[in-house]
DNA sequence: TCATCTGTTATATTTATACTATAACAGATG
DNA sequence: CATCTGTTATAGTATAAATATAACAGATGA
């Protein structure tokens, strides 16, 4: 899978990597059991330091998205393992400021939900091919 | 309106202020035409530097949420007519990583939309009292 | 066995951002 | 005229991001 890092972004590189890999899993481009490049390889490919990649992998491991295997490297975990833990509260804290802003800007509930549904479906439909 | 700053949070103080004020507008606790405290007053109340408050106000002004008036200070702006196209793209960029994560964790579309609707309604219902 | 790859850890440095501190200026207020 | 306002400038400190090297133990394949 191709990872594109924006060095001008105010989003830290290790966060960009983490997000893109999670999106890759959601879209089925990274299937369960598949291996990610080694921290050194990926760092070299992108042109960044291996510690930056390692930080992204550590977050993914912490979130249950990957498992570190001494032989196979970073392996995409099972969906069941990813589902562990409740994410509702974290989700609300992340969404509230975003929704408040578009609410003030006059976006209607139906428009917002339509936008959400569109993003969600973009994952589930891509996933059909990957799984 | 009461502003509660979490000094332990990894979210910068000026972002917390901005978000809470936008939420205050969304919930109708800050009505159109109402004035916010002066940067010096608010900074003293919270116990932070006036520049931190000023940064939050600058972002709110930039986003069209308030208007700086030499006499009345920071005044809550009239509900903005949404610049639809511009807002949508930013919205998608912010939502995609969040939705990808809960998608991987197995949250169904209906659950997600229900959660979104709940947050949205919490604004529109609070707004009934304020407006 | 041995060279090579792996993740992991440690330490140090540079850079950027967040926050604070102090000061000053121009416009508005009473 | 003293006092408040937002705004700007400058400088300092603290923390986080990213880099640069280095080393270690486990695993791999020749």
């Amino acid at each position: 899978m191709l990872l594109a890092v924006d060095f001008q972004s105010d989003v830290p590189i290790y966060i960009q990597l983490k997000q893109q890999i999670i999106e890759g899993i959601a879209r089925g481009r990274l299937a369960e059991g598949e291996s990610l490049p080694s921290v050194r390889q990926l760092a070299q490919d992108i042109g960044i330091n291996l510690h930056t990649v390692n930080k992204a992998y550590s977050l993914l491991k912490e979130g249950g998205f990957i498992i570190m295997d001494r032989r196979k490297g970073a392996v995409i975990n099972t969906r069941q393992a990813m589902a562990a833990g409740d994410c509702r509260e974290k989700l609300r804290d992340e969404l509230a400021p975003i929704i408040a802003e578009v609410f003030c800007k006059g976006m209607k509930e139906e428009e917002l939900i339509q936008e959400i549904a569109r993003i969600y479906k973009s994952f589930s439909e891509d996933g059909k091919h990957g799984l």
Side-chain angles (χ1 to χ4, degrees), chain A residues 64-88:
Chain A
F65 295 97
I66 61 174
I67 285 185
M68 298 313 303
D69 187 307
R70 186 62 80 163
R71 289 156 297 187
K72 290 182 260 175
V75 180
I76 306 299
N77 209 344
T78 62
R79 292 298 171 109
Q80 291 91 341
M82 297 179 194
D86 59 330
C87 53
R88 292 291 178 100

Side-chain angles (χ1 to χ4, degrees), chain A residues 6-7 10 14 21 23-24 40 43-44 53-55 57 65 80-82 96 103 110 114-115 122 126 131:
Chain A
D6 179 7
F7 292 96
D10 56 340
Y14 72 97
I21 289 170
E23 263 197 57
R40 286 178 176 85
Q44 189 180 350
V53 178
N54 195 23
K55 198 163 180 178
Y57 279 16
F65 295 97
Q80 291 91 341
M82 297 179 194
F103 176 86
E110 292 73 29
Q114 187 183 346
E115 204 66 51
S122 78
D126 284 4
L131 294 179

Side-chain angles (χ1 to χ4, degrees), chain A residues 88-100:
Chain A
R88 292 291 178 100
E89 192 177 341
K90 184 190 164 211
L91 179 65
R92 271 194 290 269
D93 290 344
E94 288 174 340
L95 289 177
I98 299 174
I99 297 178

